[in-house]
Amino acid sequence: MSLDDLYKETILDHTREPRNKGELPEPDVATRGHNPLCGDEILLSLKFGSDGETVQEIAFSGRGCSISQASASMMTVGVKGGRLDAADSLGRNFKALMTGTGSGEGLSGNDDLEALQGVKRFPVRIKCALLPWTALDEAIETWRRASRPAMSRPLSASGDHPAAVS
Ligand code: ZN
């Protein structure tokens, strides 16, 4: 199958049968992405693992062109159940592939994401493919900002010795 066919097939597959489509009832973080150039909208909702470092659940909803919706579906498959660091690196590698600064190495053999590079022939649609990843970056950043201060808070203030029992 040519790269072009693979590209069309992959997008069609995820458009017909989107994975992780919907909204989580009680997400830890929800973000919205909007691509005014094309009119794409993505709403991401995420739940994180109790260690704070894994994507336990992720769902997307939205409307827009098939590239944006298929890319969102592929992204949820790629990051669900994995560590935040891995999601970061997958996103970085995918962006590099789409913007022509990377070869697709580091996509952990994710064929669907690799096939999406067919979009590069339509530069105006690259933003559609990247939209869900931008929303994911925002969600992870929001989560880290919200969870870090609590994690680094000392268990007891320094110098707080238990009072001597007299
Ligand atoms: Zn679009």
Side-chain angles (χ1 to χ4, degrees):
M1 205 187 275
S2 74
L3 190 64
D4 190 43
D5 289 339
L6 191 64
Y7 164 70
K8 285 181 194 150
E9 275 294 308
T10 308
I11 289 189
L12 210 58
D13 174 39
H14 281 269
T15 311
R16 276 199 201 121
E17 241 182 274
R19 327 293 201 262
N20 305 303
K21 179 110 198 233
E23 284 170 35
L24 301 177
E26 286 175 34
D28 291 323
V29 174
T31 51
R32 193 179 288 278
H34 180 221
N35 171 19
L37 281 177
C38 183
D40 308 316
E41 278 179 11
I42 297 279
L43 179 74
L44 276 187
S45 49
L46 291 97
K47 274 190 98 63
F48 298 92
S50 52
D51 61 354
E53 286 295 326
T54 44
V55 179
Q56 193 172 45
E57 284 188 70
I58 180 167
F60 82 96
S61 63
R63 58 204 165 94
C65 69
S66 54
I67 297 171
S68 66
Q69 304 303 306
S71 178
S73 171
M74 291 174 207
M75 179 192 75
T76 61
V77 174
V79 304
K80 191 177 174 178
R83 295 183 59 80
L84 298 189
D85 296 346
D88 279 342
S89 121
L90 194 62
R92 257 199 318 275
N93 283 297
F94 180 67
K95 272 176 216 164
L97 176 69
M98 297 306 275
T99 54
T101 57
S103 62
E105 270 176 74
L107 288 181
S108 334
N110 192 314
D111 296 340
D112 286 1
L113 286 177
E114 247 168 82
L116 252 195
Q117 67 182 291
V119 122
K120 282 195 289 192
R121 284 176 299 121
F122 318 100
V124 74
R125 314 305 293 278
I126 292 176
K127 269 198 163 35
C128 305
L130 292 181
L131 178 67
W133 292 93
T134 310
L136 178 69
D137 277 350
E138 228 179 271
I140 292 180
E141 205 188 304
T142 303
W143 169 250
R144 283 183 169 146
R145 233 179 314 165
S147 60
R148 257 186 198 153
M151 280 174 169
S152 60
R153 196 181 296 144
L155 291 175
S156 64
S158 57
D160 181 21
H161 300 293
V165 180
S166 54

